[in-house]
Amino acid sequence: MSDRIRRFVETMQIQPNDRVLEIGCGHGVAATLVCADLDGGRYLAIDRSQKMIAAAATRNAAFVQAGVARFMLGSLESLDLGGEQFDKVFAMRVRLFIEDPERAHALARRWLAPGGRLFVEYDEPKKMS
Ligand SMILES: C[S@@+](CC[C@H](N)C(=O)[O-])C[C@H]1O[C@@H](n2cnc3c(N)ncnc32)[C@H](O)[C@@H]1O
């Protein structure tokens, strides 16, 4: 388990009833930590990669079966969530947040419930020499 992801999830202080959206879930590592904190709340992940969505759903199959987690193919730029809103929206290492932060924040904020919060981290993954 990555310390980076664990620290990030801790900063969000997930509450049992939170409705949580992750943009760019990758392998679904943060999903596992978030879902473990939920009791009555819900988690939705989106990712534009079919491969990553499949991997994340497999990793978190128990939470999917329990109706706590959903994994959906789609991009931050074009996904229509039909008015669904979230208490916490987060994105880690999703490139649009560094390439065009104003646009990325605006796109993510449309899914926040009143009083909801957006959490973003972008650091370059370390290169192996
Ligand atoms: C570098 S990985 C980071 C994965 C994970 N969040 C982490 O921090 O380990 C970026 C992930 O975001 C997805 N992604 C990148 N841009 C996206 C976008 N505009 N909309 C949805 N997913 C995106 C990629 O497919 C990839 O799975």
Side-chain angles (χ1 to χ4, degrees):
M1 174 65 68
S2 150
D3 282 349
R4 166 184 69 87
I5 294 176
R6 188 180 295 282
R7 277 196 303 273
F8 184 90
V9 171
E10 280 171 7
T11 65
M12 291 196 289
Q13 299 188 303
I14 300 294
Q15 301 301 304
N17 279 307
D18 275 346
R19 297 161 293 171
V20 183
L21 171 66
E22 179 174 7
I23 299 159
C25 63
H27 288 92
V29 177
T32 308
L33 295 170
V34 170
C35 289
D37 284 343
L38 296 176
D39 183 6
R42 294 287 178 267
Y43 166 92
L44 171 65
I46 68 166
D47 199 294
R48 66 184 179 186
S49 159
Q50 176 67 61
K51 191 173 156 195
M52 289 297 102
I53 282 294
T58 299
R59 179 190 173 92
N60 293 283
F63 290 119
V64 174
Q65 277 162 21
V68 174
R70 289 176 294 153
F71 293 87
M72 192 181 286
L73 180 64
S75 75
L76 170 61
E77 295 90 326
S78 61
L79 189 67
D80 179 2
L81 290 178
E84 200 170 348
Q85 292 196 311
F86 299 87
D87 305 297
K88 285 166 185 158
V89 175
F90 72 100
M92 305 172 70
R93 290 185 175 171
V94 175
R95 190 157 282 282
L96 192 65
F97 283 91
I98 197 162
E99 286 176 352
D100 191 348
E102 204 169 312
R103 178 165 178 241
H105 279 75
L107 286 166
R109 284 188 184 284
R110 76 201 142 119
W111 292 317
L112 279 177
R117 292 190 62 191
L118 173 64
F119 299 82
V120 175
E121 176 233 56
Y122 198 96
D123 63 331
E124 284 292 346
K126 288 186 181 58
K127 294 194 173 57
M128 306 300 282
S129 56

